[in-house]
Amino acid sequence: MDPKIMADTLWTLITAMLVFFMNMGFACVESGFARSKNCVNILSKNFIVFAISTVAFWLIGWGLMFGDGNSLFGTNGLWMIGGADNSPETGDAYQGAYSAIAWTGVPLLAKFFFQLVFAGTAATIVSGAVAERIKYISFILFSFLLVAFIYPLSGHWIWGGGWLAGLGMWDFAGSTVVHSVGGWAALAGVIVLGPRLGKFGADGSINAIPGHNLALATIGAFVLWLGWFGFNPGSTMAADPGLIAHICVTTNMAAATGILGATITSWLLLKKPDLGMTINGCLAGLVAITAPCAFVGVGSSAIIGLLAGIIVVLAVIMFDRIRIDDPVGALSVHLVNGVFGTLCVGLFAQDWVSPGTTGNGLFFGGGTALLRSQIIGIAAVGAFVFLAALLFWSLIKATIGLRVSLKEEIEGLDIGEHGNFAYPDFSIRKAWFSATHGGPASNSGHVSSRVREEVLT
Amino acid sequence: MDPKIMADTLWTLITAMLVFFMNMGFACVESGFARSKNCVNILSKNFIVFAISTVAFWLIGWGLMFGDGNSLFGTNGLWMIGGADNSPETGDAYQGAYSAIAWTGVPLLAKFFFQLVFAGTAATIVSGAVAERIKYISFILFSFLLVAFIYPLSGHWIWGGGWLAGLGMWDFAGSTVVHSVGGWAALAGVIVLGPRLGKFGADGSINAIPGHNLALATIGAFVLWLGWFGFNPGSTMAADPGLIAHICVTTNMAAATGILGATITSWLLLKKPDLGMTINGCLAGLVAITAPCAFVGVGSSAIIGLLAGIIVVLAVIMFDRIRIDDPVGALSVHLVNGVFGTLCVGLFAQDWVSPGTTGNGLFFGGGTALLRSQIIGIAAVGAFVFLAALLFWSLIKATIGLRVSLKEEIEGLDIGEHGNFAYPDFSIRKAWFSATHGGPASNSGHVSSRVREEVLT
Amino acid sequence: MDPKIMADTLWTLITAMLVFFMNMGFACVESGFARSKNCVNILSKNFIVFAISTVAFWLIGWGLMFGDGNSLFGTNGLWMIGGADNSPETGDAYQGAYSAIAWTGVPLLAKFFFQLVFAGTAATIVSGAVAERIKYISFILFSFLLVAFIYPLSGHWIWGGGWLAGLGMWDFAGSTVVHSVGGWAALAGVIVLGPRLGKFGADGSINAIPGHNLALATIGAFVLWLGWFGFNPGSTMAADPGLIAHICVTTNMAAATGILGATITSWLLLKKPDLGMTINGCLAGLVAITAPCAFVGVGSSAIIGLLAGIIVVLAVIMFDRIRIDDPVGALSVHLVNGVFGTLCVGLFAQDWVSPGTTGNGLFFGGGTALLRSQIIGIAAVGAFVFLAALLFWSLIKATIGLRVSLKEEIEGLDIGEHGNFAYPDFSIRKAWFSATHGGPASNSGHVSSRVREEVLT
């Protein structure tokens, strides 16, 4: 056995496991940032979503994304996974159905496993944005459709040998392929769903609805940060010592400066260093460095992360202003910074980092050609995913329905959807919901911690 | 240094670390599924059990299990670990005391570390089933006896070159060797201990006793799922690219379909998709695929997981009906599905997956010979472990006692056994215990959330 | 590509990721052991500290520690990281700026990443000891100074080719370089800060202040234990099969016997097996085996861990008696056992474990030369770090201030420093603070669970 194939396979599988673990990170961040009355529902969604993704990607998604075919989608090797797995271990000409991913010599099922955990990530991004009002079954159905059809199509364009790859667009580990795809799908869902009751007052007020468990959210953030050491360095799908070490450092650097950027920005704008913003700054830095991690220098990664941290705070404020209700900041993190990170390839890329790939970006004398490809890719993927998701969300709404009843939303989805509480031994604080019980004070921006209903006697 | 030995050792040690991490998974699942008043006790048990296992397996268990000897137990290399570690790096004939595990060339201490974390898993399975009423010291003592004597004996029969291996029984990663052994030992303990106060009413009612923290339980489930990527693929103890990639995919597939099977079953039978059932469905799928993961195709793994998810829900209901009180569902997960998974080798095995091992199972034209060996192995291990555990549990009960006092059980084991609370800052809801305070309402099946006592003023 | 370099790099990066994950372990242990009113602050500190460490070590620390220079600090390769990365892959004479770490052939950025996560650990040790009263900005500033200047200087002496390395002092994975450095810096901070309000009564009483979430603390302990399988075995920075397997086993063994030592000791001294002591016993065993893990046999590691577990319980009691307020036991774990573990090299080392390094220690016939070097190293590092930290802490106190206001300390740092609660949905128990509201009962040693203030209405 070729030692390189052994090392490549170890690296691919171990980093895939780290990416799998990000499911736990998302579960913790999202449930921690939401209210206790919806905790079981969010945990359930984040737990089942990878099961759904596994089945959807195995049955349909993988073949559409990586199967040989045309520039829009794969047409070979559809339905489950199969065909020859002969290259490049044997040195033969590749005889399988997935030429676009034949550049790595790891076994076919290692490629599938690695790509599966990426597909699952896109689906789990959606769950946070639509939290606290979506029906369980509707979320499950959309997740299947996303992983079976939407994600693999746009993914084929970039990673499956499709038209954007041909155009010279580069997205190393998926700022666009994974994160902004999840983000666009989430944006469509949030628009179709509408905001949570109480988030935006009739008088134009914007109410913060604090998360119920910041320890849980912080655990999630650490797990996601860890998982990103699989996400980015693992995307080499090969144990290339110099490159994987480089990507570990750029990835970590962007997370660090993302933390600093968001913390300082929230300190200045909100008067206090908000932990939620610090966490989202970390994730923003990680999302932003995902596309360029293998193409930019360490110093550039520090700048990219810092900017991402600033951007995410401004984006959270912006989405509130335009009355888009995203309970966990998923749009600000994954959509906005997915776009930003993809642009950064066109700005910060340096040829020496991965010779023969991007060439130099705009800031390093490479001109605007690369940046133009990146912009076309961002726009094309955004338009397709947003519209396709809008269609699927609308179909679900028109058939089985999308949103729980008002009564269920007030009582909490845990009882309505699942029949139990997350924390039955604990006394949950009594509060009331302004829209129901009225009173002008409860509509002001400062009673956010009281926009909560009496659930337990 | 042979590159293969380097890669094999990396794989073995890293996957062993993942299996070690399952201790945290069990701690979180078990404490999350139990009441807050017993949380410190459960955490303590799950934390100390791996320390006990380490000492017990090092001093006694390893040699009994893997030492050369007769078909029942090892007689060489007993007491700690030692002897030559010459093969197969050097290519020499093996000169050590542990021939049955000489097939892998990793260093002796890597083998020991990998097997140790498996032994620890068997012990930690027990802790959930006996939770909320067992004395701390008695659990510690039983854990030592299990890992020092019971686990290694039945393990020797299958993995140590004993009589079941000779008979042609196959258990790749331990559905029987680890999971059902833990399950049988737990079943004996549950019978000797009896149910928790309030679980079964004098009128025949069965009361659900909800767990106190489903976020904690979900964290645990994700960690266990991650850990299984060590448990199953790591059991190659070699960086065999094709095989470890295959096992990653079959393992994950069974977890996914186990989730779906249990969720759908609980939705149909219990009217709501219960998160506890979803979690146990995942674990059931993982336990069931543990024996066959290296012998079956991906499609088969999907079926095995799906069936395991259905079985685990039915098993939970069945154990309740026969008044076996297992607070976390450990018997349904590890015992029932450990048996089921071992049978699945005889049903679903295909020769092409690991040529020269199981051959084909019944469903693939292999006849019933393999299935018969599997059944003999299941029965022999079950009978031995159950009786041996029954003996040890009874001896402990007769000497130092097994169960805490009624007063301590009502107040919670945290105060009685450890002298502190898990969550001293939080208000715990006031409730009462029906058997003490009476009232017919509190004996009905619908007041389960009130079968709880006032602990904190 | 040389297969050895590939395997070495995989090992170095993966173990570095595990050490990174220890940040989450520290966050959970420290916040779990503190009160809920300070939880957001502790999580914030533990989250941002690695971001600060990343920037500080990249900009300044790395070069000071590993740059070629004199026996006190590096003078080449300062400011970020750079220079040739030619050895030993190429077999050329090393042409870079970091000769002291040229013994491993992994890429320069892999070395940097691995050393960075170690530097971050030293900083995070401090955060627990100074918890519940330090200003957020002051902690951030000190962390920067520690990682930029203090840690790399003493580190240069031992790991950077400085004077203690020349003297024959051995510290394999950092009982001194990391743990006692963090501990000495913390001790200085605790002294300058003073104890928390209510910890020590005017009448000489010592009040226990229980942590708010032992499930969180236990999660942290498991994560740290896992992380140590990166910390110690990864310090080979090479995939040396025999040595890394050996270190996995000695590391785990010391954790196990540390648990047993502390549990038994607390059972005897405190009448009950305290979970907090069990956890700190595990960490104590791990800290103590960190220096000798690659130099001692498995049996010795069992003894070292057992002693560490006993020592940590006595140290906690001792620090209470001398009125040093360390909310999480960081000094007892990292400082006391960092010193103890470094001494153990001089006592338990055996030449056969890593031939050509330490030789035999005192207990194995090696005389006292090694022990003398170890003592000199401990004393020199202790004196330097303690005094330098004392200087920095005092400067911070004199300029921007070090401690929050009395009002903020009573209300909790979460509101004062960050503006939100960790658990806003939950009812926090009402209690009062004795020094404010008086009453003799509340000053007795038995009302510790009441030394808490009403935070939420």
Side-chain angles (χ1 to χ4, degrees):
Chain A
M1 176 59 61
D2 179 354
K4 175 162 165 44
I5 299 297
M6 293 173 66
D8 290 351
T9 305
L10 289 196
W11 182 245
T12 301
L13 292 178
I14 292 168
T15 54
M17 293 171 197
L18 289 175
V19 179
F20 160 81
F21 201 40
M22 291 172 71
N23 282 287
M24 174 172 141
F26 282 107
C28 292
V29 166
E30 294 176 16
S31 59
F33 279 169
R35 288 166 290 182
S36 60
K37 66 178 181 178
N38 299 316
C39 185
V40 171
N41 178 252
I42 294 171
L43 296 167
S44 296
K45 280 161 53 200
N46 277 284
F47 196 70
I48 206 167
V49 72
F50 192 63
I52 298 293
S53 299
T54 295
V55 173
F57 201 65
W58 176 54
L59 290 181
I60 302 168
W62 161 265
L64 281 182
M65 186 156 173
F66 290 104
D68 294 339
N70 54 50
S71 67
L72 290 177
F73 52 90
T75 56
N76 287 325
L78 300 177
W79 191 249
M80 303 196 200
I81 183 169
D85 185 19
N86 69 320
S87 149
E89 282 181 75
T90 57
D92 297 339
Y94 182 64
Q95 297 163 14
Y98 313 104
S99 313
I101 202 166
W103 50 267
T104 166
V106 302
L108 183 56
L109 287 182
K111 298 175 191 178
F112 170 74
F113 186 56
F114 191 80
Q115 293 299 333
L116 164 62
V117 293
F118 274 60
T121 302
T124 204
I125 288 167
V126 176
S127 85
V130 298
E132 305 205 285
R133 68 255 202 225
I134 196 170
K135 286 173 71 175
Y136 188 47
I137 186 68
S138 306
F139 172 76
I140 290 175
L141 183 54
F142 182 82
S143 298
F144 185 90
L145 296 170
L146 179 70
V147 176
F149 301 107
I150 301 177
Y151 173 84
L153 255 72
S154 54
H156 183 82
W157 304 350
I158 303 172
W159 288 352
W163 69 279
L164 286 172
L167 208 75
M169 185 206 176
W170 291 92
D171 179 6
F172 187 73
S175 289
T176 286
V177 174
V178 179
H179 293 280
S180 77
V181 163
W184 289 113
L187 178 62
V190 168
I191 290 172
V192 177
L193 264 175
R196 291 168 294 171
L197 188 65
K199 175 64 187 176
F200 302 116
D203 59 349
S205 64
I206 299 165
N207 300 308
I209 300 179
H212 86 284
N213 191 332
L214 291 186
L216 196 57
T218 306
I219 286 176
F222 274 118
V223 169
L224 287 173
W225 193 345
L226 174 72
W228 242 287
F229 292 129
F231 209 94
N232 288 3
S235 289
T236 56
M237 295 182 75
D240 177 341
L243 187 56
I244 60 179
H246 182 89
I247 299 172
C248 283
V249 172
T250 54
T251 299
N252 185 67
M253 185 60 72
T257 56
I259 287 172
L260 299 181
T263 304
I264 294 167
T265 307
S266 77
W267 215 326
L268 295 174
L269 293 184
L270 310 174
K271 308 301 175 215
K272 304 250 182 181
D274 182 84
L275 177 56
M277 290 297 187
T278 300
I279 286 173
N280 275 337
C282 177
L283 304 182
L286 289 163
V287 169
I289 200 63
T290 295
C293 60
F295 306 132
V296 302
V298 176
S300 296
S301 72
I303 295 167
I304 292 169
L306 190 71
L307 294 173
I310 296 168
I311 289 170
V312 76
V313 177
L314 301 178
V316 166
I317 295 170
M318 183 271 289
F319 280 116
D320 264 2
R321 293 242 174 106
I322 62 172
R323 300 174 85 83
I324 296 283
D325 181 18
D326 172 9
V328 305
L331 300 175
S332 304
V333 168
H334 300 280
L335 173 52
V336 175
N337 279 291
V339 168
F340 171 67
T342 308
L343 286 176
C344 285
V345 174
L347 300 172
F348 292 94
Q350 289 181 273
D351 189 53
W352 66 264
V353 185
S354 289
T357 58
T358 56
N360 285 327
L362 183 64
F363 294 167
F364 291 93
T368 58
L370 178 60
L371 187 61
R372 195 163 47 232
S373 300
Q374 301 299 105
I375 292 172
I376 293 171
I378 291 166
V381 169
F384 163 68
V385 173
F386 181 75
L387 292 174
L390 204 58
L391 175 69
F392 283 139
W393 286 120
S394 302
L395 283 175
I396 293 172
K397 186 175 182 180
T399 51
I400 61 172
L402 201 54
R403 188 162 177 150
V404 300
S405 70
L406 181 64
K407 179 172 179 294
E408 183 174 330
E409 187 176 342
I410 292 173
E411 287 181 352
L413 278 67
D414 290 1
I415 292 300
E417 298 294 277
H418 304 279
N420 49 15
F421 298 113
Y423 309 99
D425 288 9
F426 295 86
S427 295
I428 302 299
R429 292 178 67 208
K430 300 185 181 185
W432 67 91
F433 179 59
S434 58
T436 311
H437 297 271
S442 57
N443 264 328
S444 87
H446 292 92
V447 293
S448 59
S449 69
R450 292 188 171 174
V451 181
R452 201 172 306 115
E453 311 74 37
E454 179 166 344
V455 174
L456 303 175
T457 54
Chain B
M1 175 60 62
D2 179 355
K4 175 162 165 46
I5 298 298
M6 293 174 66
D8 290 351
T9 305
L10 289 197
W11 182 246
T12 302
L13 292 178
I14 291 167
T15 54
M17 293 170 196
L18 289 175
V19 179
F20 161 81
F21 201 40
M22 291 172 72
N23 282 287
M24 175 173 140
F26 282 108
C28 292
V29 167
E30 295 176 16
S31 59
F33 279 169
R35 288 166 291 183
S36 60
K37 67 179 182 177
N38 299 316
C39 184
V40 172
N41 177 252
I42 294 171
L43 296 167
S44 296
K45 280 161 53 200
N46 276 284
F47 196 72
I48 207 168
V49 72
F50 192 63
I52 297 293
S53 297
T54 296
V55 173
F57 201 65
W58 176 54
L59 290 180
I60 302 168
W62 162 265
L64 281 180
M65 186 156 172
F66 290 103
D68 295 338
N70 53 49
S71 67
L72 291 176
F73 52 90
T75 56
N76 288 326
L78 300 177
W79 191 249
M80 304 195 199
I81 184 170
D85 184 19
N86 68 319
S87 152
E89 282 181 77
T90 57
D92 297 341
Y94 183 64
Q95 297 164 14
Y98 314 103
S99 313
I101 202 167
W103 50 268
T104 167
V106 302
L108 184 56
L109 286 182
K111 299 175 190 179
F112 170 74
F113 186 56
F114 191 80
Q115 293 299 332
L116 164 62
V117 291
F118 273 61
T121 302
T124 203
I125 288 168
V126 176
S127 85
V130 300
E132 305 205 287
R133 68 256 203 224
I134 196 170
K135 287 174 69 174
Y136 189 47
I137 185 69
S138 306
F139 172 76
I140 290 175
L141 183 54
F142 181 81
S143 299
F144 185 90
L145 296 171
L146 179 70
V147 176
F149 301 107
I150 300 177
Y151 173 84
L153 255 72
S154 53
H156 182 82
W157 302 351
I158 302 172
W159 288 351
W163 69 279
L164 286 172
L167 208 73
M169 184 206 177
W170 291 92
D171 179 6
F172 187 74
S175 289
T176 286
V177 173
V178 179
H179 293 280
S180 76
V181 162
W184 290 114
L187 177 63
V190 168
I191 290 172
V192 177
L193 264 175
R196 291 167 294 170
L197 187 65
K199 176 63 187 174
F200 302 114
D203 58 351
S205 64
I206 299 165
N207 299 307
I209 301 178
H212 85 286
N213 192 332
L214 291 186
L216 195 57
T218 306
I219 286 176
F222 275 119
V223 169
L224 287 172
W225 193 347
L226 174 72
W228 242 286
F229 292 128
F231 210 93
N232 288 2
S235 288
T236 56
M237 296 182 76
D240 177 342
L243 187 56
I244 60 180
H246 182 90
I247 299 174
C248 282
V249 173
T250 53
T251 298
N252 184 66
M253 184 61 70
T257 56
I259 287 172
L260 299 182
T263 304
I264 294 168
T265 307
S266 78
W267 215 325
L268 295 174
L269 293 183
L270 311 173
K271 309 300 176 215
K272 304 249 183 182
D274 182 84
L275 178 56
M277 290 297 186
T278 300
I279 287 172
N280 275 337
C282 177
L283 304 182
L286 290 163
V287 169
I289 201 63
T290 296
C293 60
F295 306 131
V296 301
V298 176
S300 296
S301 72
I303 296 168
I304 292 169
L306 189 72
L307 293 173
I310 296 168
I311 289 170
V312 76
V313 177
L314 301 178
V316 166
I317 295 171
M318 182 270 291
F319 280 117
D320 264 3
R321 292 242 173 105
I322 62 173
R323 298 174 86 83
I324 296 284
D325 181 19
D326 172 9
V328 306
L331 300 176
S332 305
V333 168
H334 300 279
L335 174 52
V336 174
N337 279 291
V339 168
F340 172 66
T342 308
L343 287 176
C344 285
V345 175
L347 300 173
F348 292 93
Q350 287 181 273
D351 190 52
W352 66 263
V353 186
S354 289
T357 57
T358 56
N360 285 328
L362 182 63
F363 293 166
F364 291 93
T368 59
L370 178 60
L371 187 62
R372 195 161 47 231
S373 299
Q374 300 301 102
I375 292 172
I376 293 171
I378 291 166
V381 169
F384 164 68
V385 174
F386 181 75
L387 292 175
L390 204 61
L391 175 69
F392 283 140
W393 285 121
S394 302
L395 283 175
I396 294 171
K397 185 175 182 179
T399 51
I400 61 172
L402 200 53
R403 188 161 177 150
V404 300
S405 71
L406 181 64
K407 178 171 180 295
E408 183 174 331
E409 188 176 341
I410 292 173
E411 287 180 352
L413 277 66
D414 290 2
I415 291 301
E417 297 294 279
H418 305 278
N420 49 14
F421 298 113
Y423 309 99
D425 287 10
F426 294 87
S427 294
I428 302 299
R429 293 177 67 208
K430 299 184 181 185
W432 67 90
F433 180 60
S434 60
T436 311
H437 297 270
S442 58
N443 264 329
S444 87
H446 293 91
V447 294
S448 58
S449 69
R450 293 189 170 172
V451 181
R452 202 172 306 113
E453 309 75 37
E454 181 167 341
V455 174
L456 304 174
T457 55
Chain C
M1 175 58 63
D2 180 355
K4 175 162 165 45
I5 298 299
M6 293 173 65
D8 290 352
T9 305
L10 290 197
W11 182 245
T12 301
L13 292 178
I14 292 168
T15 54
M17 293 170 196
L18 289 175
V19 178
F20 161 81
F21 201 40
M22 292 172 71
N23 281 288
M24 174 173 141
F26 282 108
C28 292
V29 166
E30 293 176 17
S31 58
F33 279 168
R35 288 165 291 183
S36 59
K37 67 178 182 178
N38 298 316
C39 184
V40 173
N41 178 252
I42 294 172
L43 295 168
S44 296
K45 281 162 52 200
N46 277 283
F47 197 70
I48 207 167
V49 71
F50 191 64
I52 298 292
S53 297
T54 296
V55 173
F57 201 65
W58 176 54
L59 289 180
I60 303 168
W62 161 265
L64 281 181
M65 186 156 172
F66 291 104
D68 294 337
N70 55 47
S71 66
L72 290 176
F73 52 89
T75 56
N76 288 325
L78 299 177
W79 191 249
M80 304 196 200
I81 183 170
D85 185 18
N86 68 320
S87 151
E89 283 181 76
T90 57
D92 298 340
Y94 183 63
Q95 296 163 14
Y98 313 103
S99 313
I101 202 166
W103 50 269
T104 166
V106 302
L108 184 56
L109 286 182
K111 298 175 189 179
F112 170 74
F113 186 56
F114 191 81
Q115 293 299 331
L116 163 61
V117 293
F118 274 61
T121 302
T124 203
I125 288 167
V126 175
S127 84
V130 298
E132 304 205 285
R133 67 254 202 229
I134 196 170
K135 287 174 68 173
Y136 189 47
I137 186 67
S138 306
F139 172 76
I140 290 175
L141 183 54
F142 181 81
S143 299
F144 185 90
L145 296 170
L146 179 70
V147 175
F149 301 107
I150 300 177
Y151 173 84
L153 256 74
S154 53
H156 183 83
W157 302 352
I158 301 171
W159 288 351
W163 68 279
L164 285 171
L167 209 74
M169 184 206 178
W170 291 93
D171 179 7
F172 187 74
S175 289
T176 287
V177 173
V178 179
H179 292 280
S180 77
V181 163
W184 288 114
L187 178 63
V190 168
I191 291 172
V192 177
L193 264 174
R196 290 168 294 170
L197 187 65
K199 175 66 186 175
F200 303 115
D203 59 351
S205 64
I206 300 164
N207 300 307
I209 300 179
H212 85 286
N213 191 332
L214 291 186
L216 196 57
T218 306
I219 286 176
F222 275 117
V223 169
L224 288 172
W225 194 346
L226 174 72
W228 242 286
F229 292 128
F231 209 94
N232 288 3
S235 288
T236 56
M237 295 181 76
D240 177 341
L243 188 56
I244 61 180
H246 183 90
I247 299 173
C248 282
V249 173
T250 54
T251 298
N252 184 68
M253 185 60 71
T257 56
I259 286 172
L260 300 181
T263 304
I264 294 167
T265 307
S266 77
W267 215 326
L268 295 175
L269 292 184
L270 311 173
K271 308 300 176 216
K272 303 252 183 181
D274 182 83
L275 178 56
M277 290 297 188
T278 299
I279 287 173
N280 275 336
C282 177
L283 304 182
L286 289 163
V287 169
I289 201 63
T290 295
C293 60
F295 306 132
V296 302
V298 176
S300 296
S301 72
I303 296 168
I304 291 168
L306 189 72
L307 293 173
I310 297 168
I311 289 169
V312 77
V313 177
L314 301 177
V316 167
I317 295 171
M318 182 272 289
F319 279 116
D320 264 2
R321 292 243 173 105
I322 62 173
R323 300 174 85 84
I324 296 283
D325 181 19
D326 172 9
V328 305
L331 300 175
S332 304
V333 168
H334 300 280
L335 174 51
V336 174
N337 278 291
V339 167
F340 171 67
T342 309
L343 286 175
C344 285
V345 175
L347 300 172
F348 291 94
Q350 288 181 274
D351 188 52
W352 65 265
V353 185
S354 289
T357 57
T358 56
N360 287 327
L362 183 63
F363 293 165
F364 292 92
T368 58
L370 177 60
L371 187 61
R372 193 160 50 231
S373 300
Q374 300 299 104
I375 293 172
I376 293 170
I378 291 165
V381 170
F384 163 68
V385 174
F386 182 75
L387 291 174
L390 204 60
L391 175 69
F392 283 140
W393 286 120
S394 302
L395 283 174
I396 293 171
K397 186 176 183 178
T399 51
I400 61 172
L402 200 54
R403 188 162 178 149
V404 300
S405 70
L406 181 63
K407 177 171 180 296
E408 182 174 331
E409 187 176 342
I410 293 174
E411 287 181 351
L413 276 68
D414 290 1
I415 291 301
E417 297 295 278
H418 305 278
N420 48 15
F421 297 114
Y423 310 98
D425 287 9
F426 295 87
S427 294
I428 302 299
R429 292 178 66 208
K430 299 185 181 185
W432 67 90
F433 179 60
S434 58
T436 312
H437 297 270
S442 59
N443 263 328
S444 87
H446 293 90
V447 294
S448 57
S449 68
R450 293 188 171 172
V451 180
R452 201 172 307 115
E453 310 76 36
E454 181 167 342
V455 174
L456 304 174
T457 55

